[in-house]
Amino acid sequence: MKADVKKVMIEFHDNRIPVYYNNERRGTIELLVQVLEKKWRSGRRLVQQFLSDLDSVEIEGTEAILYSARGNGTLALSLY
């Protein structure tokens, strides 16, 4: 990761998840939480299972790269 990357913690279903980003666009973190909640409620079963094991998130441009605690890969979600 680059030196100018920031880190914040979000609450997602009783878990504290670190989010790494360098995007200065306002509302990015709030938008991320909205997208995660939407996918949790109405996403496909595979996405919901991935979200239940969410370990961390990295925001790159307009995408959120989700990392699983089980180490079984990543999932990219579009924010915009």
Side-chain angles (χ1 to χ4, degrees), residues 32 35-36 39 47 51 62-66 75-79:
L32 169 67
V35 170
L36 292 176
K39 293 297 183 181
V47 173
L51 290 175
T62 61
E63 289 192 330
I65 311 300
L66 283 56
L75 178 67
L77 295 177
S78 178
L79 296 177

Side-chain angles (χ1 to χ4, degrees), residues 24-38:
E24 296 298 327
R25 186 176 286 168
R26 288 185 123 176
T28 300
I29 301 303
E30 292 81 8
L31 185 58
L32 169 67
V33 172
Q34 291 173 2
V35 170
L36 292 176
E37 287 295 337
K38 181 179 177 183

Side-chain angles (χ1 to χ4, degrees), residues 15-31:
N15 294 317
R16 290 182 51 83
I17 308 295
V19 177
Y20 302 93
Y21 68 102
N22 62 2
N23 186 338
E24 296 298 327
R25 186 176 286 168
R26 288 185 123 176
T28 300
I29 301 303
E30 292 81 8
L31 185 58

Side-chain angles (χ1 to χ4, degrees), residues 1 4 11 15 18 20 22-23 25 32 36 41 48-49 58 67-68 70 74 76-77:
M1 283 188 205
D4 59 343
E11 286 286 327
N15 294 317
Y20 302 93
N22 62 2
N23 186 338
R25 186 176 286 168
L32 169 67
L36 292 176
R41 286 190 315 271
Q48 291 173 339
Q49 288 175 339
E58 182 179 349
Y67 295 89
S68 172
R70 293 187 183 188
T74 61
L77 295 177

Side-chain angles (χ1 to χ4, degrees), residues 2-21:
K2 298 175 185 174
D4 59 343
V5 173
K6 297 173 182 82
K7 175 184 171 184
V8 297
M9 300 295 284
I10 62 169
E11 286 286 327
F12 184 70
H13 293 268
D14 297 328
N15 294 317
R16 290 182 51 83
I17 308 295
V19 177
Y20 302 93
Y21 68 102

